[in-house]
Short mmCIF file of all heavy atoms in Angstrom, two decimals:
data_model
loop_
_atom_site.label_atom_id
_atom_site.label_comp_id
_atom_site.label_asym_id
_atom_site.label_seq_id
_atom_site.Cartn_x
_atom_site.Cartn_y
_atom_site.Cartn_z
N ARG A 23 0.43 -4.42 22.25
CA ARG A 23 -0.62 -5.36 21.85
C ARG A 23 -1.69 -4.64 21.02
O ARG A 23 -2.18 -5.18 20.03
CB ARG A 23 -1.24 -6.03 23.06
CG ARG A 23 -2.12 -7.20 22.68
CD ARG A 23 -2.53 -7.99 23.89
NE ARG A 23 -3.17 -9.24 23.49
CZ ARG A 23 -4.20 -9.77 24.12
NH1 ARG A 23 -4.69 -9.18 25.20
NH2 ARG A 23 -4.73 -10.89 23.70
N ARG A 24 -2.03 -3.43 21.40
CA ARG A 24 -3.00 -2.65 20.62
C ARG A 24 -2.42 -2.34 19.25
O ARG A 24 -3.12 -2.33 18.25
CB ARG A 24 -3.36 -1.36 21.38
CG ARG A 24 -4.42 -0.53 20.75
CD ARG A 24 -5.77 -1.20 20.73
NE ARG A 24 -6.25 -1.56 22.04
CZ ARG A 24 -7.37 -2.25 22.28
NH1 ARG A 24 -8.14 -2.63 21.28
NH2 ARG A 24 -7.73 -2.56 23.50
N TRP A 25 -1.11 -2.07 19.19
CA TRP A 25 -0.44 -1.84 17.91
C TRP A 25 -0.50 -3.11 17.05
O TRP A 25 -0.75 -3.05 15.85
CB TRP A 25 0.99 -1.36 18.14
CG TRP A 25 1.84 -1.27 16.91
CD1 TRP A 25 3.07 -1.82 16.73
CD2 TRP A 25 1.54 -0.57 15.69
NE1 TRP A 25 3.55 -1.53 15.48
CE2 TRP A 25 2.62 -0.76 14.81
CE3 TRP A 25 0.45 0.17 15.24
CZ2 TRP A 25 2.67 -0.23 13.53
CZ3 TRP A 25 0.49 0.70 13.95
CH2 TRP A 25 1.58 0.50 13.11
N ALA A 26 -0.28 -4.27 17.66
CA ALA A 26 -0.37 -5.53 16.91
C ALA A 26 -1.78 -5.71 16.34
O ALA A 26 -1.94 -6.11 15.18
CB ALA A 26 0.01 -6.71 17.80
N HIS A 27 -2.79 -5.43 17.16
CA HIS A 27 -4.17 -5.53 16.67
C HIS A 27 -4.39 -4.55 15.52
O HIS A 27 -4.96 -4.93 14.48
CB HIS A 27 -5.16 -5.25 17.81
CG HIS A 27 -6.56 -5.07 17.35
ND1 HIS A 27 -7.34 -6.11 16.88
CD2 HIS A 27 -7.35 -3.95 17.29
CE1 HIS A 27 -8.54 -5.64 16.55
NE2 HIS A 27 -8.57 -4.34 16.79
N SER A 28 -3.95 -3.33 15.69
CA SER A 28 -4.15 -2.31 14.64
C SER A 28 -3.47 -2.71 13.34
O SER A 28 -4.03 -2.51 12.25
CB SER A 28 -3.64 -0.95 15.12
OG SER A 28 -4.43 -0.51 16.21
N GLN A 29 -2.27 -3.26 13.43
CA GLN A 29 -1.59 -3.74 12.22
C GLN A 29 -2.40 -4.85 11.55
O GLN A 29 -2.52 -4.89 10.32
CB GLN A 29 -0.20 -4.24 12.57
CG GLN A 29 0.77 -3.15 12.96
CD GLN A 29 2.10 -3.75 13.35
OE1 GLN A 29 2.95 -3.97 12.49
NE2 GLN A 29 2.27 -4.05 14.63
N GLY A 30 -2.92 -5.77 12.36
CA GLY A 30 -3.74 -6.84 11.81
C GLY A 30 -4.99 -6.32 11.14
O GLY A 30 -5.39 -6.80 10.07
N VAL A 31 -5.62 -5.32 11.74
CA VAL A 31 -6.82 -4.71 11.14
C VAL A 31 -6.43 -4.01 9.84
O VAL A 31 -7.16 -4.10 8.84
CB VAL A 31 -7.51 -3.76 12.14
CG1 VAL A 31 -8.67 -3.01 11.49
CG2 VAL A 31 -8.00 -4.54 13.35
N GLY A 32 -5.27 -3.36 9.82
CA GLY A 32 -4.79 -2.73 8.59
C GLY A 32 -4.54 -3.76 7.49
O GLY A 32 -4.92 -3.55 6.33
N ARG A 33 -3.92 -4.87 7.84
CA ARG A 33 -3.69 -5.94 6.85
C ARG A 33 -5.01 -6.51 6.34
O ARG A 33 -5.17 -6.79 5.15
CB ARG A 33 -2.82 -7.05 7.45
CG ARG A 33 -1.36 -6.68 7.63
CD ARG A 33 -0.50 -7.87 8.02
NE ARG A 33 -0.92 -8.48 9.26
CZ ARG A 33 -0.48 -8.15 10.47
NH1 ARG A 33 0.41 -7.16 10.60
NH2 ARG A 33 -0.90 -8.78 11.55
N ALA A 34 -5.96 -6.68 7.26
CA ALA A 34 -7.28 -7.18 6.85
C ALA A 34 -7.95 -6.20 5.89
O ALA A 34 -8.61 -6.62 4.93
CB ALA A 34 -8.16 -7.41 8.08
N ALA A 35 -7.75 -4.91 6.11
CA ALA A 35 -8.33 -3.89 5.23
C ALA A 35 -7.71 -3.95 3.84
O ALA A 35 -8.41 -3.81 2.84
CB ALA A 35 -8.17 -2.50 5.84
N ILE A 36 -6.41 -4.15 3.78
CA ILE A 36 -5.74 -4.27 2.47
C ILE A 36 -6.33 -5.45 1.70
O ILE A 36 -6.66 -5.34 0.53
CB ILE A 36 -4.22 -4.40 2.64
CG1 ILE A 36 -3.62 -3.09 3.17
CG2 ILE A 36 -3.56 -4.80 1.32
CD1 ILE A 36 -2.18 -3.20 3.65
N ALA A 37 -6.47 -6.58 2.40
CA ALA A 37 -7.02 -7.78 1.75
C ALA A 37 -8.49 -7.58 1.37
O ALA A 37 -8.89 -7.94 0.27
CB ALA A 37 -6.86 -8.98 2.68
N ALA A 38 -9.27 -7.01 2.26
CA ALA A 38 -10.70 -6.82 1.98
C ALA A 38 -10.92 -5.85 0.84
O ALA A 38 -11.78 -6.07 -0.02
CB ALA A 38 -11.42 -6.33 3.24
N ALA A 39 -10.15 -4.77 0.82
CA ALA A 39 -10.33 -3.75 -0.21
C ALA A 39 -10.13 -4.31 -1.61
O ALA A 39 -10.76 -3.85 -2.56
CB ALA A 39 -9.37 -2.59 0.04
N ALA A 40 -9.28 -5.32 -1.72
CA ALA A 40 -9.04 -5.92 -3.03
C ALA A 40 -10.29 -6.59 -3.58
O ALA A 40 -10.43 -6.74 -4.80
CB ALA A 40 -7.89 -6.93 -2.94
N GLY A 41 -11.21 -6.98 -2.71
CA GLY A 41 -12.43 -7.65 -3.15
C GLY A 41 -13.69 -6.82 -3.00
O GLY A 41 -14.79 -7.34 -3.13
N LEU A 42 -13.52 -5.54 -2.68
CA LEU A 42 -14.68 -4.67 -2.50
C LEU A 42 -14.66 -3.50 -3.46
O LEU A 42 -13.58 -3.05 -3.86
CB LEU A 42 -14.70 -4.11 -1.06
CG LEU A 42 -14.91 -5.10 0.06
CD1 LEU A 42 -14.69 -4.42 1.41
CD2 LEU A 42 -16.32 -5.71 -0.01
N ASP A 43 -15.81 -3.01 -3.79
CA ASP A 43 -15.92 -1.80 -4.59
C ASP A 43 -15.99 -0.63 -3.62
O ASP A 43 -17.08 -0.20 -3.21
CB ASP A 43 -17.18 -1.87 -5.47
CG ASP A 43 -17.31 -0.66 -6.37
OD1 ASP A 43 -16.30 0.04 -6.59
OD2 ASP A 43 -18.44 -0.42 -6.84
N CYS A 44 -14.81 -0.16 -3.18
CA CYS A 44 -14.76 0.90 -2.18
C CYS A 44 -13.47 1.70 -2.35
O CYS A 44 -12.59 1.32 -3.11
CB CYS A 44 -14.84 0.32 -0.77
SG CYS A 44 -13.35 -0.55 -0.22
N ASN A 45 -13.36 2.78 -1.61
CA ASN A 45 -12.15 3.58 -1.58
C ASN A 45 -11.15 2.85 -0.68
O ASN A 45 -11.22 2.95 0.55
CB ASN A 45 -12.48 4.97 -1.04
CG ASN A 45 -11.29 5.90 -1.01
OD1 ASN A 45 -10.16 5.48 -0.77
ND2 ASN A 45 -11.54 7.17 -1.23
N SER A 46 -10.25 2.12 -1.28
CA SER A 46 -9.33 1.27 -0.51
C SER A 46 -8.39 2.09 0.37
O SER A 46 -8.09 1.70 1.50
CB SER A 46 -8.54 0.35 -1.43
OG SER A 46 -7.77 1.08 -2.35
N GLU A 47 -7.92 3.22 -0.12
CA GLU A 47 -7.02 4.05 0.67
C GLU A 47 -7.72 4.54 1.94
O GLU A 47 -7.15 4.52 3.03
CB GLU A 47 -6.53 5.24 -0.15
CG GLU A 47 -5.51 6.09 0.57
CD GLU A 47 -4.94 7.20 -0.29
OE1 GLU A 47 -5.27 7.30 -1.47
OE2 GLU A 47 -4.13 7.96 0.25
N LEU A 48 -8.96 4.93 1.81
CA LEU A 48 -9.74 5.40 2.95
C LEU A 48 -9.97 4.26 3.95
O LEU A 48 -9.82 4.44 5.16
CB LEU A 48 -11.06 5.98 2.46
CG LEU A 48 -11.97 6.61 3.48
CD1 LEU A 48 -11.29 7.75 4.22
CD2 LEU A 48 -13.23 7.12 2.77
N LEU A 49 -10.32 3.09 3.45
CA LEU A 49 -10.53 1.94 4.33
C LEU A 49 -9.27 1.59 5.09
O LEU A 49 -9.30 1.39 6.31
CB LEU A 49 -11.02 0.73 3.52
CG LEU A 49 -11.19 -0.57 4.33
CD1 LEU A 49 -12.18 -0.40 5.48
CD2 LEU A 49 -11.61 -1.71 3.40
N VAL A 50 -8.14 1.53 4.40
CA VAL A 50 -6.89 1.15 5.07
C VAL A 50 -6.49 2.21 6.09
O VAL A 50 -6.08 1.89 7.21
CB VAL A 50 -5.78 0.88 4.04
CG1 VAL A 50 -4.44 0.66 4.73
CG2 VAL A 50 -6.14 -0.32 3.17
N ALA A 51 -6.61 3.48 5.75
CA ALA A 51 -6.26 4.55 6.69
C ALA A 51 -7.12 4.46 7.95
O ALA A 51 -6.61 4.53 9.08
CB ALA A 51 -6.41 5.91 6.02
N ALA A 52 -8.42 4.31 7.78
CA ALA A 52 -9.31 4.21 8.94
C ALA A 52 -9.03 2.95 9.75
O ALA A 52 -9.08 2.97 10.98
CB ALA A 52 -10.77 4.24 8.49
N ALA A 53 -8.71 1.86 9.07
CA ALA A 53 -8.44 0.59 9.76
C ALA A 53 -7.22 0.69 10.66
O ALA A 53 -7.27 0.29 11.83
CB ALA A 53 -8.27 -0.53 8.74
N ILE A 54 -6.15 1.22 10.15
CA ILE A 54 -4.93 1.29 10.95
C ILE A 54 -5.07 2.30 12.08
O ILE A 54 -4.47 2.15 13.15
CB ILE A 54 -3.68 1.55 10.07
CG1 ILE A 54 -2.38 1.31 10.86
CG2 ILE A 54 -3.69 2.93 9.48
CD1 ILE A 54 -2.15 -0.12 11.25
N LEU A 55 -5.90 3.31 11.89
CA LEU A 55 -6.08 4.36 12.90
C LEU A 55 -7.26 4.12 13.84
O LEU A 55 -7.46 4.89 14.79
CB LEU A 55 -6.28 5.72 12.21
CG LEU A 55 -5.06 6.30 11.51
CD1 LEU A 55 -5.46 7.45 10.60
CD2 LEU A 55 -4.01 6.73 12.54
N HIS A 56 -8.05 3.08 13.62
CA HIS A 56 -9.31 2.94 14.35
C HIS A 56 -9.15 2.95 15.86
O HIS A 56 -10.03 3.41 16.58
CB HIS A 56 -10.09 1.70 13.88
CG HIS A 56 -9.64 0.43 14.49
ND1 HIS A 56 -8.46 -0.21 14.14
CD2 HIS A 56 -10.22 -0.35 15.44
CE1 HIS A 56 -8.33 -1.31 14.85
NE2 HIS A 56 -9.39 -1.42 15.64
N ASP A 57 -8.04 2.47 16.40
CA ASP A 57 -7.84 2.40 17.85
C ASP A 57 -6.81 3.40 18.38
O ASP A 57 -6.36 3.28 19.52
CB ASP A 57 -7.43 0.98 18.26
CG ASP A 57 -8.61 0.04 18.44
OD1 ASP A 57 -9.77 0.50 18.38
OD2 ASP A 57 -8.37 -1.17 18.65
N VAL A 58 -6.45 4.38 17.58
CA VAL A 58 -5.43 5.35 18.01
C VAL A 58 -5.85 6.08 19.29
O VAL A 58 -5.01 6.49 20.09
CB VAL A 58 -5.07 6.34 16.87
CG1 VAL A 58 -6.18 7.36 16.63
CG2 VAL A 58 -3.74 7.02 17.14
N GLY A 59 -7.14 6.20 19.52
CA GLY A 59 -7.64 6.88 20.71
C GLY A 59 -7.33 6.17 22.02
O GLY A 59 -7.53 6.73 23.10
N TYR A 60 -6.81 4.95 21.96
CA TYR A 60 -6.36 4.26 23.17
C TYR A 60 -5.00 4.79 23.64
O TYR A 60 -4.61 4.53 24.78
CB TYR A 60 -6.21 2.76 22.92
CG TYR A 60 -7.48 1.97 23.04
CD1 TYR A 60 -8.01 1.32 21.93
CD2 TYR A 60 -8.13 1.81 24.26
CE1 TYR A 60 -9.17 0.56 22.03
CE2 TYR A 60 -9.28 1.05 24.37
CZ TYR A 60 -9.79 0.43 23.25
OH TYR A 60 -10.94 -0.32 23.35
N ALA A 61 -4.25 5.47 22.78
CA ALA A 61 -2.92 5.97 23.16
C ALA A 61 -3.05 6.79 24.44
O ALA A 61 -3.89 7.71 24.50
CB ALA A 61 -2.32 6.79 22.03
N PRO A 62 -2.26 6.48 25.44
CA PRO A 62 -2.43 7.16 26.74
C PRO A 62 -2.43 8.69 26.67
O PRO A 62 -3.21 9.33 27.35
CB PRO A 62 -1.24 6.64 27.56
CG PRO A 62 -0.93 5.31 26.96
CD PRO A 62 -1.22 5.45 25.49
N ARG A 63 -1.62 9.26 25.81
CA ARG A 63 -1.55 10.72 25.76
C ARG A 63 -2.78 11.35 25.11
O ARG A 63 -3.00 12.55 25.21
CB ARG A 63 -0.28 11.18 25.06
CG ARG A 63 -0.27 11.07 23.57
CD ARG A 63 1.00 11.71 22.96
NE ARG A 63 0.81 11.97 21.55
CZ ARG A 63 0.30 13.08 21.04
NH1 ARG A 63 -0.07 14.06 21.83
NH2 ARG A 63 0.15 13.22 19.74
N LEU A 64 -3.61 10.53 24.46
CA LEU A 64 -4.78 11.04 23.76
C LEU A 64 -6.08 10.89 24.56
O LEU A 64 -7.11 11.43 24.16
CB LEU A 64 -4.94 10.33 22.41
CG LEU A 64 -3.74 10.36 21.48
CD1 LEU A 64 -4.05 9.66 20.18
CD2 LEU A 64 -3.27 11.78 21.24
N VAL A 65 -6.03 10.17 25.66
CA VAL A 65 -7.24 9.89 26.42
C VAL A 65 -7.77 11.17 27.07
O VAL A 65 -7.07 11.81 27.85
CB VAL A 65 -6.98 8.80 27.49
CG1 VAL A 65 -8.21 8.61 28.36
CG2 VAL A 65 -6.58 7.49 26.81
N VAL A 66 -8.98 11.52 26.70
CA VAL A 66 -9.68 12.67 27.29
C VAL A 66 -10.99 12.19 27.90
O VAL A 66 -11.23 12.35 29.10
CB VAL A 66 -9.92 13.79 26.26
CG1 VAL A 66 -10.74 14.92 26.85
CG2 VAL A 66 -8.60 14.31 25.70
N THR A 67 -11.84 11.59 27.07
CA THR A 67 -13.13 11.10 27.55
C THR A 67 -13.04 9.67 28.07
O THR A 67 -13.92 9.22 28.79
CB THR A 67 -14.18 11.11 26.42
OG1 THR A 67 -13.83 10.15 25.43
CG2 THR A 67 -14.32 12.50 25.81
#
Side-chain angles (χ1 to χ4, degrees):
R23 192 170 190 218
R24 185 66 58 186
W25 172 232
H27 169 71
S28 295
Q29 290 177 87
V31 174
R33 287 189 300 271
I36 292 168
L42 294 171
D43 183 19
C44 72
N45 182 326
S46 61
E47 184 175 357
L48 184 58
L49 176 59
V50 173
I54 193 67
L55 290 167
H56 82 286
D57 277 353
V58 73
Y60 277 115
R63 77 174 198 89
L64 306 181
V65 174
V66 175
T67 68

